[in-house]
Amino acid sequence: MKNKTPFSYRKEEIGSCSKMNQKIKWEIGFTKKLPKDYHPGKVGRTIIDPSRNDTYLLKEENGSYSNGCCRVYRALYSEYMEDTAKLVDSGNVTLKVINRKIHESDCLELQRRIDASIEDRSYYTTIGIKKAFATEDLSCVSLPYMSQGSLRHILSTRQDKRLPEEFIAIVIKKVLAALRDEVHNGLLPRAHKTLSAGDIFIHTTTGQMLIRLAYEASVYDSEKINVEEDIEEDSNEEEAGSSSSAFLAPKRIAKWGAAPEVFGRENDEGVGPKSDIWLLGIMALELAYGELPVSTREDLDRLIKKLRKERRFPRSLENMLIVNNREVTLKKAMNLFKRKEEVFSEMFEIMVRKCLAKKPKKRPTAAQLLDSYTTFFTQKDMERFERFMLNAENNPVPTTN
């Protein structure tokens, strides 16, 4: 990004804070308690950018960020034309809105992400920022509108939340291109830090489907907002080593599924391109199996260790973690998933194993993955993928018949 001119406010304008916590967590969110009726913006309200007189009419709430204190809306953007002193309808955008007077620390974190983000370019694979501005009480970030929401949100409408392998290849190829060209590039490569299926967004336009990766300030949850559920999930995950009857929440997968060199740290130590590649491997498993049936980090470590050793991936991951008197009986688990049929291609399994190498130096780069697995990434049926994405709620997993 060449300059910051599109962003009309700086940190000192957001509001004073007695002392910002120096241990800024890279995972999403600070605020834990919000009233059920909390809305920094209301549908039907028009927010005006005071620096440009552009307007944003909030049409519908379609996501959240920072445990719900930042809400995300589809907004009708109208650009103010100085020569005619008129507003021109310029289509839909995604608008993130947060009340900085109520949520100072969350707002400072949002500003940090704005500073680390890139400007939006139509030819980019990442989702950049269109504009950022502040009103008297709100801080707002305008992003390209992604009509279908995140891949995780789309799959959540399906009873079977898995993606066929050929579609996983399409998605991962786009993600790797974004990492190689727009995140991990340059003399000082950056890290995505939260890479997951929730950061992959789908947009349909005339005769075209776009797959783009949210990054820094463009990251948000395009799922139903449930503040109480978010608080409960955070509370459960903070109890390190404790077991739970439910599986760990997919929307927090970048936190509990982080690379070994990153997991459990309160700062960015260990975070880098190679920790993103680990998360890519975790994401591939999530897409292939629908969810990871783990209740603790120890379960995940045990599962990955098992996948590294096995000749082929099983049809079900749950069969790999058989609990008997609260102990995992690995020998019994081995017999349960032995099969003759091939569930995934050998190339897919090798790629995932390389991404999930325990030592960072043994994981490939995004560029190396794209170069080494060209056969896996080429000749995929985009038309079938588009039909599947647009009809995910009603369509079964497509077949080749």
Side-chain angles (χ1 to χ4, degrees):
M1 188 171 180
K2 294 182 179 180
N3 57 63
K4 301 288 182 180
T5 53
F7 309 139
S8 59
Y9 67 101
R10 300 263 60 84
K11 291 179 182 177
E12 59 268 18
E13 295 176 300
I14 292 177
S16 61
C17 185
S18 57
K19 185 177 180 182
M20 185 178 178
N21 188 345
Q22 297 301 313
K23 295 182 178 180
I24 296 178
K25 296 182 179 182
W26 55 261
E27 66 266 23
I28 295 175
F30 289 81
T31 303
K32 290 295 182 72
K33 295 182 179 180
L34 292 170
K36 290 183 179 180
D37 60 349
Y38 171 77
H39 291 277
K42 291 283 188 179
V43 171
R45 175 183 178 180
T46 296
I47 298 176
I48 302 174
D49 177 354
S51 67
R52 302 173 59 93
N53 291 325
D54 298 339
T55 65
Y56 298 83
L57 174 60
L58 306 185
K59 302 294 287 184
E60 65 176 332
E61 191 170 345
N62 58 11
S64 67
Y65 171 81
S66 220
N67 288 339
C69 71
C70 178
R71 295 298 168 88
V72 182
Y73 302 87
R74 175 175 67 86
L76 179 61
Y77 168 56
S78 296
E79 184 177 4
Y80 180 76
M81 310 302 292
E82 292 185 359
D83 55 343
T84 61
K86 292 183 178 180
L87 289 168
V88 177
D89 184 355
S90 301
N92 290 315
V93 297
T94 295
L95 193 70
K96 298 176 75 171
V97 181
I98 185 171
N99 189 315
R100 66 176 180 277
K101 293 182 178 180
I102 299 176
H103 305 291
E104 289 181 321
S105 59
D106 296 272
C107 200
L108 287 170
E109 170 65 1
L110 178 59
Q111 178 61 48
R112 184 198 67 77
R113 287 178 175 267
I114 290 172
D115 291 338
S117 296
I118 59 177
E119 286 187 62
D120 185 61
R121 294 287 185 270
S122 60
Y123 51 85
Y124 278 3
T125 311
T126 51
I127 302 174
I129 292 177
K130 297 176 78 68
K131 294 177 183 177
F133 61 94
T135 67
E136 183 178 351
D137 58 342
L138 303 175
S139 292
C140 306
V141 181
S142 172
L143 309 167
Y145 177 58
M146 304 300 290
S147 59
Q148 304 303 311
S150 72
L151 183 57
R152 179 177 293 136
H153 169 67
I154 294 171
L155 292 176
S156 72
T157 66
R158 289 181 51 89
Q159 184 175 0
D160 184 354
K161 296 175 175 57
R162 298 172 297 172
L163 269 188
E165 184 180 313
E166 64 172 311
F167 296 166
I168 296 175
I170 291 172
V171 170
I172 290 181
K173 182 179 180 180
K174 288 288 186 180
V175 172
L176 286 173
L179 293 176
R180 179 194 62 189
D181 299 336
E182 297 151 30
V183 180
H184 295 170
N185 61 336
L187 296 176
L188 295 174
R190 297 164 293 182
H192 187 284
K193 304 179 185 180
T194 65
L195 185 63
S196 74
D199 295 333
I200 302 166
F201 283 75
I202 309 293
H203 178 66
T204 54
T205 184
T206 306
Q208 186 180 15
M209 173 172 282
L210 302 177
I211 305 172
R212 301 184 72 181
L213 177 67
Y215 173 63
E216 290 289 3
S218 62
V219 170
Y220 67 92
D221 293 324
S222 71
E223 301 172 54
K224 184 178 180 181
I225 300 166
N226 189 330
V227 176
E228 290 183 343
E229 180 182 285
D230 285 348
I231 295 172
E232 184 178 352
E233 287 171 1
D234 285 342
S235 176
N236 290 339
E237 288 166 16
E238 286 173 0
E239 298 176 5
S242 66
S243 60
S244 171
S245 59
F247 297 146
L248 293 176
K251 64 164 44 176
R252 300 286 184 265
I253 199 169
K255 181 178 178 181
W256 56 259
E261 67 274 15
V262 174
F263 178 73
R265 299 184 183 275
E266 292 187 346
N267 52 38
D268 282 351
E269 184 180 353
V271 172
K274 291 302 182 75
S275 61
D276 283 348
I277 296 301
W278 170 280
L279 287 176
L280 184 80
I282 296 293
M283 182 184 73
L285 291 178
E286 180 188 1
L287 295 178
Y289 289 102
E291 66 177 346
L292 300 185
V294 297
S295 301
T296 65
R297 173 67 188 210
E298 289 74 18
D299 284 348
L300 178 65
D301 290 339
R302 193 179 300 116
L303 191 66
I304 292 173
K305 185 177 180 180
K306 191 78 174 161
L307 288 172
R308 291 193 193 113
K309 290 183 177 181
E310 291 305 317
R311 184 175 64 86
R312 301 304 301 266
F313 283 8
R315 183 172 296 279
S316 169
L317 291 179
E318 292 184 71
N319 290 339
M320 302 185 76
L321 294 173
I322 306 301
V323 178
N324 184 15
N325 295 326
R326 296 185 180 181
E327 293 183 359
V328 177
T329 310
L330 294 178
K331 290 184 179 179
K332 290 183 179 180
M334 289 175 64
N335 293 326
L336 282 173
F337 64 80
K338 284 183 178 179
R339 76 238 180 280
K340 295 181 180 180
E341 73 273 19
E342 181 180 284
V343 181
F344 303 102
S345 69
E346 187 173 6
M347 191 171 294
F348 172 75
E349 295 177 1
I350 292 173
M351 181 185 67
V352 172
R353 288 192 182 100
K354 286 184 178 296
C355 291
L356 296 177
K358 186 173 183 178
K359 294 182 178 180
K361 64 180 181 180
K362 291 189 176 182
R363 297 172 209 150
T365 65
Q368 288 171 338
L369 286 170
L370 286 169
D371 292 340
S372 301
Y373 297 92
T374 53
T375 303
F376 177 72
F377 292 126
T378 56
Q379 301 299 322
K380 304 303 179 184
D381 192 336
M382 275 298 299
E383 185 177 344
R384 291 181 65 245
F385 176 76
E386 292 174 9
R387 290 201 307 269
F388 175 73
M389 286 292 104
L390 291 174
N391 300 282
E393 186 172 359
N394 300 316
N395 274 3
V397 176
T399 65
T400 54
N401 295 331

Short mmCIF file of all heavy atoms in Angstrom, two decimals, residues 28-66:
data_model
loop_
_atom_site.label_atom_id
_atom_site.label_comp_id
_atom_site.label_asym_id
_atom_site.label_seq_id
_atom_site.Cartn_x
_atom_site.Cartn_y
_atom_site.Cartn_z
N ILE A 28 -9.27 -12.74 17.29
CA ILE A 28 -10.32 -11.74 17.19
C ILE A 28 -10.96 -11.52 18.56
O ILE A 28 -11.37 -12.44 19.21
CB ILE A 28 -11.39 -12.18 16.19
CG1 ILE A 28 -10.77 -12.24 14.80
CG2 ILE A 28 -12.59 -11.26 16.20
CD1 ILE A 28 -11.71 -12.77 13.76
N GLY A 29 -11.01 -10.25 18.96
CA GLY A 29 -11.89 -9.87 20.05
C GLY A 29 -11.29 -9.59 21.39
O GLY A 29 -10.39 -10.28 21.83
N PHE A 30 -11.76 -8.56 22.07
CA PHE A 30 -11.42 -8.23 23.43
C PHE A 30 -12.67 -8.28 24.31
O PHE A 30 -12.69 -8.86 25.37
CB PHE A 30 -10.85 -6.80 23.52
CG PHE A 30 -9.48 -6.67 22.94
CD1 PHE A 30 -9.29 -6.52 21.58
CD2 PHE A 30 -8.37 -6.67 23.75
CE1 PHE A 30 -8.03 -6.38 21.05
CE2 PHE A 30 -7.10 -6.52 23.23
CZ PHE A 30 -6.92 -6.38 21.88
N THR A 31 -13.73 -7.59 23.90
CA THR A 31 -14.90 -7.41 24.73
C THR A 31 -15.63 -8.74 24.93
O THR A 31 -15.81 -9.50 24.01
CB THR A 31 -15.86 -6.40 24.08
OG1 THR A 31 -15.14 -5.18 23.88
CG2 THR A 31 -17.06 -6.13 24.97
N LYS A 32 -16.07 -8.98 26.17
CA LYS A 32 -16.71 -10.24 26.47
C LYS A 32 -18.21 -10.10 26.74
O LYS A 32 -18.96 -11.03 26.60
CB LYS A 32 -16.04 -10.88 27.69
CG LYS A 32 -14.64 -11.39 27.40
CD LYS A 32 -14.65 -12.53 26.39
CE LYS A 32 -13.27 -13.08 26.14
NZ LYS A 32 -12.75 -13.84 27.27
N LYS A 33 -18.68 -8.91 27.23
CA LYS A 33 -20.08 -8.79 27.61
C LYS A 33 -20.76 -7.68 26.84
O LYS A 33 -20.31 -6.55 26.83
CB LYS A 33 -20.19 -8.54 29.11
CG LYS A 33 -19.69 -9.71 29.96
CD LYS A 33 -19.86 -9.43 31.44
CE LYS A 33 -19.39 -10.62 32.27
NZ LYS A 33 -19.53 -10.37 33.72
N LEU A 34 -21.86 -8.01 26.20
CA LEU A 34 -22.64 -7.05 25.43
C LEU A 34 -24.12 -7.28 25.71
O LEU A 34 -24.55 -8.42 25.89
CB LEU A 34 -22.38 -7.21 23.93
CG LEU A 34 -21.01 -6.84 23.40
CD1 LEU A 34 -20.89 -7.30 21.96
CD2 LEU A 34 -20.77 -5.35 23.50
N PRO A 35 -24.92 -6.21 25.73
CA PRO A 35 -26.37 -6.41 25.86
C PRO A 35 -26.92 -7.10 24.62
O PRO A 35 -26.37 -6.96 23.53
CB PRO A 35 -26.90 -4.97 25.97
CG PRO A 35 -25.85 -4.12 25.35
CD PRO A 35 -24.54 -4.80 25.65
N LYS A 36 -27.99 -7.85 24.77
CA LYS A 36 -28.56 -8.60 23.65
C LYS A 36 -29.00 -7.70 22.52
O LYS A 36 -28.98 -8.10 21.36
CB LYS A 36 -29.74 -9.45 24.14
CG LYS A 36 -29.33 -10.62 25.02
CD LYS A 36 -30.53 -11.44 25.40
CE LYS A 36 -30.14 -12.64 26.26
NZ LYS A 36 -31.31 -13.46 26.63
N ASP A 37 -29.41 -6.46 22.86
CA ASP A 37 -29.91 -5.55 21.83
C ASP A 37 -28.84 -4.58 21.34
O ASP A 37 -29.15 -3.55 20.76
CB ASP A 37 -31.12 -4.77 22.36
CG ASP A 37 -30.76 -3.92 23.59
OD1 ASP A 37 -29.66 -4.11 24.13
OD2 ASP A 37 -31.59 -3.08 23.98
N TYR A 38 -27.56 -4.91 21.58
CA TYR A 38 -26.48 -3.99 21.18
C TYR A 38 -26.38 -3.88 19.66
O TYR A 38 -26.29 -4.90 18.97
CB TYR A 38 -25.14 -4.45 21.75
CG TYR A 38 -23.98 -3.66 21.21
CD1 TYR A 38 -23.70 -2.39 21.68
CD2 TYR A 38 -23.18 -4.18 20.20
CE1 TYR A 38 -22.65 -1.64 21.17
CE2 TYR A 38 -22.12 -3.44 19.69
CZ TYR A 38 -21.87 -2.18 20.19
OH TYR A 38 -20.82 -1.44 19.67
N HIS A 39 -26.39 -2.68 19.14
CA HIS A 39 -26.19 -2.43 17.72
C HIS A 39 -25.50 -1.08 17.55
O HIS A 39 -26.12 -0.05 17.82
CB HIS A 39 -27.53 -2.40 16.95
CG HIS A 39 -28.20 -3.73 16.86
ND1 HIS A 39 -27.87 -4.67 15.92
CD2 HIS A 39 -29.18 -4.27 17.62
CE1 HIS A 39 -28.63 -5.75 16.09
NE2 HIS A 39 -29.42 -5.53 17.12
N PRO A 40 -24.24 -1.05 17.12
CA PRO A 40 -23.58 0.24 16.89
C PRO A 40 -24.22 1.01 15.75
O PRO A 40 -24.10 2.22 15.64
CB PRO A 40 -22.14 -0.16 16.57
CG PRO A 40 -22.23 -1.55 16.05
CD PRO A 40 -23.36 -2.18 16.81
N GLY A 41 -24.89 0.30 14.87
CA GLY A 41 -25.65 0.93 13.78
C GLY A 41 -26.97 0.20 13.65
O GLY A 41 -27.11 -0.95 14.07
N LYS A 42 -27.98 0.85 13.15
CA LYS A 42 -29.28 0.23 12.97
C LYS A 42 -29.60 0.11 11.49
O LYS A 42 -29.29 1.01 10.70
CB LYS A 42 -30.37 1.08 13.64
CG LYS A 42 -30.30 1.09 15.17
CD LYS A 42 -30.85 -0.19 15.75
CE LYS A 42 -30.97 -0.07 17.26
NZ LYS A 42 -31.51 -1.30 17.87
N VAL A 43 -30.20 -1.02 11.10
CA VAL A 43 -30.63 -1.17 9.72
C VAL A 43 -31.61 -0.04 9.38
O VAL A 43 -32.52 0.25 10.14
CB VAL A 43 -31.30 -2.55 9.51
CG1 VAL A 43 -31.93 -2.62 8.14
CG2 VAL A 43 -30.27 -3.66 9.68
N GLY A 44 -31.38 0.61 8.27
CA GLY A 44 -32.19 1.75 7.88
C GLY A 44 -31.51 3.08 8.18
O GLY A 44 -31.91 4.12 7.65
N ARG A 45 -30.48 3.04 9.00
CA ARG A 45 -29.74 4.27 9.33
C ARG A 45 -28.78 4.61 8.21
O ARG A 45 -28.21 3.73 7.56
CB ARG A 45 -28.98 4.08 10.64
CG ARG A 45 -28.07 5.25 11.02
CD ARG A 45 -27.28 4.94 12.28
NE ARG A 45 -26.37 6.05 12.60
CZ ARG A 45 -25.56 6.06 13.65
NH1 ARG A 45 -25.54 5.03 14.48
NH2 ARG A 45 -24.76 7.08 13.87
N THR A 46 -28.55 5.89 7.98
CA THR A 46 -27.56 6.35 7.02
C THR A 46 -26.37 6.94 7.76
O THR A 46 -26.53 7.83 8.60
CB THR A 46 -28.15 7.42 6.07
OG1 THR A 46 -29.20 6.83 5.29
CG2 THR A 46 -27.07 7.95 5.12
N ILE A 47 -25.19 6.40 7.48
CA ILE A 47 -23.95 6.90 8.08
C ILE A 47 -23.22 7.74 7.04
O ILE A 47 -23.06 7.31 5.89
CB ILE A 47 -23.06 5.74 8.56
CG1 ILE A 47 -23.79 4.94 9.65
CG2 ILE A 47 -21.72 6.24 9.07
CD1 ILE A 47 -23.03 3.71 10.13
N ILE A 48 -22.81 8.92 7.43
CA ILE A 48 -22.14 9.85 6.51
C ILE A 48 -20.65 9.93 6.83
O ILE A 48 -20.27 10.11 7.99
CB ILE A 48 -22.77 11.25 6.60
CG1 ILE A 48 -24.27 11.19 6.28
CG2 ILE A 48 -22.07 12.22 5.64
CD1 ILE A 48 -24.99 12.51 6.48
N ASP A 49 -19.82 9.78 5.82
CA ASP A 49 -18.38 9.99 5.95
C ASP A 49 -18.15 11.51 6.00
O ASP A 49 -18.30 12.19 4.98
CB ASP A 49 -17.66 9.36 4.77
CG ASP A 49 -16.15 9.59 4.80
OD1 ASP A 49 -15.68 10.33 5.68
OD2 ASP A 49 -15.45 9.04 3.93
N PRO A 50 -17.80 12.09 7.14
CA PRO A 50 -17.70 13.55 7.24
C PRO A 50 -16.58 14.16 6.41
O PRO A 50 -16.63 15.35 6.10
CB PRO A 50 -17.46 13.77 8.75
CG PRO A 50 -16.86 12.50 9.23
CD PRO A 50 -17.47 11.42 8.42
N SER A 51 -15.60 13.36 6.03
CA SER A 51 -14.49 13.90 5.26
C SER A 51 -14.80 14.02 3.78
O SER A 51 -14.15 14.79 3.05
CB SER A 51 -13.24 13.04 5.45
OG SER A 51 -13.42 11.76 4.88
N ARG A 52 -15.81 13.24 3.32
CA ARG A 52 -16.11 13.22 1.88
C ARG A 52 -17.59 13.44 1.57
O ARG A 52 -17.95 13.61 0.41
CB ARG A 52 -15.67 11.88 1.28
CG ARG A 52 -14.19 11.54 1.48
CD ARG A 52 -13.90 10.13 1.01
NE ARG A 52 -14.24 9.95 -0.38
CZ ARG A 52 -13.38 10.11 -1.39
NH1 ARG A 52 -12.14 10.45 -1.14
NH2 ARG A 52 -13.77 9.92 -2.64
N ASN A 53 -18.42 13.36 2.60
CA ASN A 53 -19.88 13.48 2.44
C ASN A 53 -20.50 12.31 1.69
O ASN A 53 -21.65 12.40 1.23
CB ASN A 53 -20.26 14.79 1.74
CG ASN A 53 -20.00 16.00 2.62
OD1 ASN A 53 -20.16 15.94 3.84
ND2 ASN A 53 -19.57 17.10 2.02
N ASP A 54 -19.75 11.22 1.53
CA ASP A 54 -20.34 9.99 0.99
C ASP A 54 -21.29 9.41 2.04
O ASP A 54 -21.11 9.60 3.25
CB ASP A 54 -19.25 8.97 0.68
CG ASP A 54 -18.28 9.45 -0.38
OD1 ASP A 54 -18.65 10.37 -1.15
OD2 ASP A 54 -17.15 8.92 -0.44
N THR A 55 -22.28 8.66 1.59
CA THR A 55 -23.26 8.09 2.52
C THR A 55 -23.31 6.57 2.40
O THR A 55 -23.04 6.00 1.35
CB THR A 55 -24.67 8.67 2.27
OG1 THR A 55 -25.13 8.25 0.98
CG2 THR A 55 -24.66 10.18 2.35
N TYR A 56 -23.70 5.93 3.52
CA TYR A 56 -23.83 4.48 3.60
C TYR A 56 -25.17 4.18 4.26
O TYR A 56 -25.35 4.40 5.46
CB TYR A 56 -22.69 3.88 4.42
CG TYR A 56 -21.31 4.12 3.82
CD1 TYR A 56 -20.64 5.33 4.05
CD2 TYR A 56 -20.70 3.15 3.04
CE1 TYR A 56 -19.39 5.55 3.51
CE2 TYR A 56 -19.44 3.37 2.50
CZ TYR A 56 -18.80 4.57 2.74
OH TYR A 56 -17.55 4.78 2.20
N LEU A 57 -26.12 3.68 3.48
CA LEU A 57 -27.43 3.29 4.01
C LEU A 57 -27.38 1.82 4.42
O LEU A 57 -27.19 0.94 3.58
CB LEU A 57 -28.51 3.51 2.95
CG LEU A 57 -29.92 3.01 3.29
CD1 LEU A 57 -30.47 3.69 4.54
CD2 LEU A 57 -30.85 3.21 2.09
N LEU A 58 -27.53 1.55 5.72
CA LEU A 58 -27.43 0.19 6.23
C LEU A 58 -28.67 -0.60 5.82
O LEU A 58 -29.78 -0.29 6.24
CB LEU A 58 -27.27 0.21 7.74
CG LEU A 58 -26.11 1.07 8.30
CD1 LEU A 58 -26.00 0.90 9.81
CD2 LEU A 58 -24.79 0.72 7.62
N LYS A 59 -28.47 -1.65 5.03
CA LYS A 59 -29.58 -2.43 4.49
C LYS A 59 -29.88 -3.70 5.30
O LYS A 59 -31.02 -4.06 5.49
CB LYS A 59 -29.30 -2.81 3.04
CG LYS A 59 -29.06 -1.62 2.11
CD LYS A 59 -30.31 -0.77 1.96
CE LYS A 59 -31.34 -1.45 1.10
NZ LYS A 59 -32.53 -0.59 0.87
N GLU A 60 -28.83 -4.39 5.74
CA GLU A 60 -29.04 -5.58 6.55
C GLU A 60 -27.76 -5.92 7.31
O GLU A 60 -26.65 -5.61 6.87
CB GLU A 60 -29.45 -6.78 5.69
CG GLU A 60 -28.40 -7.26 4.72
CD GLU A 60 -28.84 -8.51 3.97
OE1 GLU A 60 -29.64 -9.28 4.53
OE2 GLU A 60 -28.36 -8.72 2.84
N GLU A 61 -27.94 -6.53 8.46
CA GLU A 61 -26.79 -6.96 9.27
C GLU A 61 -26.40 -8.36 8.82
O GLU A 61 -27.21 -9.27 8.81
CB GLU A 61 -27.18 -6.96 10.74
CG GLU A 61 -26.01 -7.12 11.69
CD GLU A 61 -26.41 -6.87 13.15
OE1 GLU A 61 -27.49 -6.30 13.39
OE2 GLU A 61 -25.62 -7.26 14.03
N ASN A 62 -25.13 -8.52 8.44
CA ASN A 62 -24.73 -9.82 7.89
C ASN A 62 -23.45 -10.38 8.50
O ASN A 62 -22.81 -11.24 7.90
CB ASN A 62 -24.59 -9.74 6.37
CG ASN A 62 -23.58 -8.69 5.93
OD1 ASN A 62 -22.84 -8.16 6.74
ND2 ASN A 62 -23.55 -8.40 4.63
N GLY A 63 -23.10 -9.92 9.70
CA GLY A 63 -21.92 -10.49 10.34
C GLY A 63 -21.49 -9.67 11.53
O GLY A 63 -22.12 -8.68 11.91
N SER A 64 -20.39 -10.09 12.14
CA SER A 64 -19.86 -9.39 13.30
C SER A 64 -18.36 -9.62 13.41
O SER A 64 -17.78 -10.45 12.70
CB SER A 64 -20.56 -9.84 14.59
OG SER A 64 -20.22 -11.19 14.87
N TYR A 65 -17.76 -8.90 14.32
CA TYR A 65 -16.32 -8.98 14.56
C TYR A 65 -16.08 -8.61 16.01
O TYR A 65 -16.88 -7.89 16.62
CB TYR A 65 -15.60 -8.02 13.60
CG TYR A 65 -14.13 -7.82 13.87
CD1 TYR A 65 -13.19 -8.74 13.43
CD2 TYR A 65 -13.67 -6.71 14.57
CE1 TYR A 65 -11.84 -8.56 13.67
CE2 TYR A 65 -12.32 -6.52 14.81
CZ TYR A 65 -11.41 -7.45 14.37
OH TYR A 65 -10.07 -7.27 14.62
N SER A 66 -14.99 -9.08 16.58
CA SER A 66 -14.61 -8.71 17.94
C SER A 66 -15.69 -9.09 18.94
O SER A 66 -16.15 -8.28 19.75
CB SER A 66 -14.33 -7.20 18.01
OG SER A 66 -13.23 -6.93 18.84
#
